[in-house]
Amino acid sequence: MYLRKPRASSAEKALSYQEQQTKINEVRCLLGQLAERLPNFCSDASILRYLRARNWDVEKSGKMLKETLKWRLECKPETIRWEDVVHEAETGKIYRANYLDKYGRAVLVMRPGFQNTSSAKGQIKYLVYCMENAILNLAADQEQMVWLIDFRGWTMASTSVKATRETARVLQDYYPERLALGILYNPPRIFESFSKLVKPFVDQKTYKKVKFVYSDDAESQKIMTDLFDITKLESAFGGYNQDGFDFGSYAEQMKEDDKKMSDFLNSEPSLLSILQKPEPSTSEALSQGSSDSSSSSDVESPRSLHVKNSNQNLKAPQVNCSDSGAVKSEAQHELMIQTRESA
């Protein structure tokens, strides 16, 4: 049994359900035809994450989501497959753990010291693949994940400031409110200097979710025991699980997940047709949506799609905008959330 989800923020608790729904509908209206053309990316749950990320500012949230739609149309992250990133994955520098935290959240293990490539573009592509995969595997009642960052073998040469800045941009702009907690495990002293260099690129809200944990510090180790079942947690992070990253078995798991993603996309013909269109349609879609454009992204997971459809009859003040589901990774997950809420 998992612990209850952390409580909502004070700002969120200050808004009634009706007020939150009104803001959701206002954001959807700002998106114009984009919301109708790409309903899988504009579910209530997805828009809520953008609103939280922008402190409930409707205009900023709308701009952020619009940029996400643009990015998704251009990069098509849900179409990345294991064979596209297999070389990046060989050392286990990023992978989804086979255990959850006590809240039932997915765990992404990151080992920057295990970097094995020099192409920032390839590294970002693999990071996006891992994010989409983690979202794909989120439970219906979860929207966030935990990052466990192991600093074994890390040196200043392991990660460039440029790559780190781009990583922060992609995660913050295109996956807002997906991070529950980021644990930096045994970072060396020299990392303090590196963190000062990249801190300006990390928004304050995200930075507050970062925790430093040291194996020789009992107080910081309590963070691990409070968050994880120690019998399942890897020994590299102070747990009893001796099973480390195995490339062969992980590859098989990712191939199975790729099939799940493909099955979802095939079940959503309207989404599939958009993903199959050439990139020039991106600018056309954006121009049809509205004249504004601006910052970030995060689509719903396929499981969440159903949840949203079942909630349509609960809409607050009427607004002439349509509502719909999500995209498998993000889309599919929204579907699951909606199903749960309607139960």
Side-chain angles (χ1 to χ4, degrees):
M1 176 178 287
Y2 298 114
L3 301 178
R4 289 185 179 180
K5 238 163 89 170
R7 297 179 180 178
S9 67
S10 56
E12 188 170 342
K13 286 189 287 188
L15 293 174
S16 67
Y17 170 79
Q18 296 288 327
E19 290 170 327
Q20 290 184 38
Q21 191 67 52
T22 296
K23 286 184 177 290
I24 290 171
N25 291 334
E26 288 174 352
V27 169
R28 191 171 285 115
C29 277
L30 285 178
L31 297 174
Q33 293 181 21
L34 273 176
E36 297 176 5
R37 187 180 175 195
L38 302 171
N40 299 75
F41 300 88
C42 303
S43 67
D44 285 6
S46 182
I47 293 175
L48 270 175
R49 283 196 296 277
Y50 285 84
L51 283 165
R52 293 187 193 112
R54 289 296 175 261
N55 295 315
W56 299 92
D57 185 299
V58 170
E59 273 194 45
K60 291 181 179 179
S61 302
K63 287 182 177 182
M64 188 182 197
L65 181 49
K66 195 175 296 183
E67 275 301 302
T68 291
L69 299 179
K70 175 182 177 182
W71 174 75
R72 284 194 167 266
L73 281 169
E74 292 177 347
C75 300
K76 300 177 174 60
E78 50 284 300
T79 66
I80 302 173
R81 294 294 176 264
W82 175 250
E83 58 266 24
D84 301 325
V85 296
V86 62
H87 176 58
E88 295 285 344
E90 289 175 350
T91 61
K93 62 186 178 186
I94 308 177
Y95 62 93
R96 178 172 58 83
N98 60 3
Y99 52 87
L100 308 174
D101 76 350
K102 288 182 178 180
Y103 295 94
R105 297 177 296 209
V107 177
L108 271 187
V109 176
M110 302 181 179
R111 292 193 163 103
F114 288 26
Q115 184 59 262
N116 63 327
T117 61
S118 57
S119 168
K121 183 177 180 180
Q123 293 166 12
I124 294 297
K125 185 175 185 178
Y126 181 51
L127 172 67
V128 167
Y129 175 80
C130 291
M131 288 295 294
E132 293 290 316
N133 179 267
I135 294 168
L136 171 69
N137 286 281
L138 286 174
D141 61 345
Q142 291 294 346
E143 294 184 294
Q144 297 184 310
M145 63 190 76
V146 175
W147 299 344
L148 274 178
I149 306 175
D150 180 5
F151 279 85
R152 279 184 298 164
W154 185 88
T155 66
M156 287 285 280
S158 300
T159 313
S160 71
V161 173
K162 180 181 179 181
T164 301
R165 180 172 57 190
E166 180 63 10
T167 296
R169 186 187 71 80
V170 168
L171 294 175
Q172 291 174 167
D173 289 352
Y174 304 147
Y175 297 94
E177 293 300 300
R178 283 301 190 184
L179 176 65
L181 198 65
I183 295 177
L184 307 186
Y185 199 81
N186 283 337
R189 285 188 179 277
I190 195 173
F191 180 76
E192 294 180 14
S193 301
F194 183 82
S195 64
K196 289 178 182 177
L197 292 175
V198 300
K199 187 176 179 180
F201 311 122
V202 181
D203 67 49
Q204 196 60 25
K205 213 171 178 186
T206 300
Y207 196 78
K208 288 180 179 179
K209 297 177 180 180
V210 174
K211 304 294 181 185
F212 288 76
V213 175
Y214 299 92
S215 56
D216 58 356
D217 185 323
E219 186 174 346
S220 68
Q221 273 293 313
K222 190 174 185 301
I223 293 175
M224 305 301 284
T225 55
D226 288 346
L227 195 60
F228 296 101
D229 178 342
I230 297 301
T231 63
K232 297 178 180 178
L233 182 67
E234 293 169 63
S235 57
F237 298 105
Y240 301 151
N241 181 0
Q242 298 296 322
D243 296 332
F245 175 75
D246 181 83
F247 179 75
S249 59
Y250 190 69
E252 291 305 311
Q253 179 61 62
M254 293 303 100
K255 290 174 184 176
E256 287 300 313
D257 285 351
D258 283 355
K259 290 178 184 176
K260 288 195 293 182
M261 178 69 83
S262 295
D263 289 344
F264 169 73
L265 293 177
N266 290 331
S267 70
E268 293 291 320
S270 60
L271 175 59
L272 186 62
S273 65
I274 290 174
L275 293 175
Q276 290 175 339
K277 285 183 179 180
E279 291 181 10
S281 62
T282 301
S283 57
E284 295 173 11
L286 290 173
S287 62
Q288 288 174 5
S290 84
S291 56
D292 293 356
S293 81
S294 321
S295 38
S296 280
S297 89
D298 183 33
V299 184
E300 298 310 317
S301 105
R303 306 176 204 176
S304 323
L305 279 168
H306 290 319
V307 183
K308 169 183 232 172
N309 295 332
S310 50
N311 273 342
Q312 288 184 336
N313 59 347
L314 299 176
K315 286 185 180 178
Q318 293 185 355
V319 180
N320 292 325
C321 292
S322 62
D323 182 16
S324 27
V327 164
K328 180 70 186 159
S329 342
E330 299 241 355
Q332 184 176 17
H333 184 246
E334 285 312 312
L335 181 61
M336 295 174 63
I337 294 176
Q338 292 164 353
T339 304
R340 173 179 54 81
E341 291 177 349
S342 63

